[in-house]
Amino acid sequence: MVNMYEKLKSLCDMKGVKPAEVCNSIGASKSLFTDLKTGRKSSVSLETAGRLAAYFGVSVDDILGVVQLSEEEQGVLFNFFDTACNSAGMSPEIVQKEAPISNKSNVIEKLGLGRMPRVSMDDIYAIADVLDCRAEVEEFLDKIKKPTAIESDELLRQTDEVKELLKKIEPEQRESVLQMLRTFAAEK
């Protein structure tokens, strides 16, 4: 299962900030991270997810653990699940009844039809766990993962040219330069 606390902690580490700084900056309760870590909360409101996404420079889907899949990617995921269902002698409907998923529609069938462009990572992993094919699904999802803005920034900063450029730019202008570089890199 995708743990929201671990996701947010990872984003804090990548950005080099403490959870308390994040809460202060976005106007969230100081107990947000503690509540997520201890399980008092398993998620955040859409409003808080939006503020977290803006703060970290990622999408709301990234914060909420939702993956965007092309029709081709949906087909590959469907094939994993379909093959695993056949091997286990289980129908997709039975699998989904056994899997603790939030989406009550037939996720596997919709993936096969290319009608599930946004799906919860928790739901994908729950189905994969029932079918005992989590390793294959994780490997596939790692291959298609799009880097977050923070990860892209880290990659950009690692190039010698960008390092030299950032040294010459005033600190208050660095974010706009990085944004231009992100846009340029996304177009490539």
Side-chain angles (χ1 to χ4, degrees):
M1 187 174 266
V2 178
N3 181 307
M4 182 168 283
Y5 169 78
E6 292 298 327
K7 173 78 170 175
L8 293 175
K9 182 73 171 94
S10 174
L11 289 169
C12 285
D13 293 345
M14 282 193 272
K15 191 163 181 157
V17 296
K18 295 186 183 315
E21 292 175 56
V22 175
C23 292
N24 258 353
S25 293
I26 68 166
S29 165
K30 290 179 171 103
S31 66
L32 174 68
F33 279 77
T34 304
D35 289 347
L36 290 169
K37 185 176 183 179
T38 61
R40 280 191 296 266
K41 283 186 162 190
S42 60
S43 190
V44 296
S45 70
L46 193 53
E47 180 183 341
T48 300
R51 291 191 310 234
L52 286 164
Y55 181 86
F56 287 116
V58 298
S59 71
V60 172
D61 282 349
D62 286 334
I63 298 294
L64 296 176
V66 173
V67 65
Q68 302 256 351
L69 300 171
S70 68
E71 278 191 44
E72 180 182 335
E73 293 163 346
Q74 291 176 64
V76 171
L77 200 51
F78 168 77
N79 288 334
F80 279 130
F81 290 151
D82 188 51
T83 301
C85 281
N86 290 333
S87 294
M90 298 173 77
S91 72
E93 293 80 15
I94 291 173
V95 170
Q96 289 188 183
K97 283 181 184 170
E98 289 189 23
I101 62 173
S102 60
N103 190 331
K104 299 304 175 195
S105 65
N106 192 331
V107 174
I108 298 171
E109 179 183 322
K110 285 186 174 182
L111 287 169
L113 297 171
R115 295 188 184 149
M116 198 80 186
R118 295 179 71 245
V119 63
S120 159
M121 296 290 287
D122 287 345
D123 288 354
I124 290 173
Y125 289 141
I127 292 168
D129 288 343
V130 168
L131 292 170
D132 199 28
C133 63
R134 186 177 181 123
E136 295 92 334
V137 169
E138 282 181 341
E139 184 179 331
F140 168 69
L141 292 173
D142 284 345
K143 285 181 188 174
I144 66 166
K145 181 182 178 227
K146 289 107 183 141
T148 64
I150 292 173
E151 292 166 336
S152 297
D153 286 354
E154 289 305 312
L155 292 173
L156 287 172
R157 286 188 181 105
Q158 290 173 13
T159 64
D160 292 333
E161 296 87 5
V162 173
K163 284 180 184 176
E164 290 304 312
L165 177 65
L166 289 175
K167 286 179 189 175
K168 296 175 186 175
I169 296 173
E170 294 297 319
E172 59 274 2
Q173 296 175 328
R174 288 185 186 146
E175 183 56 39
S176 59
V177 169
L178 281 170
Q179 184 60 44
M180 286 187 294
L181 289 170
R182 279 188 218 118
T183 302
F184 178 74
E187 291 173 356
K188 289 285 178 179

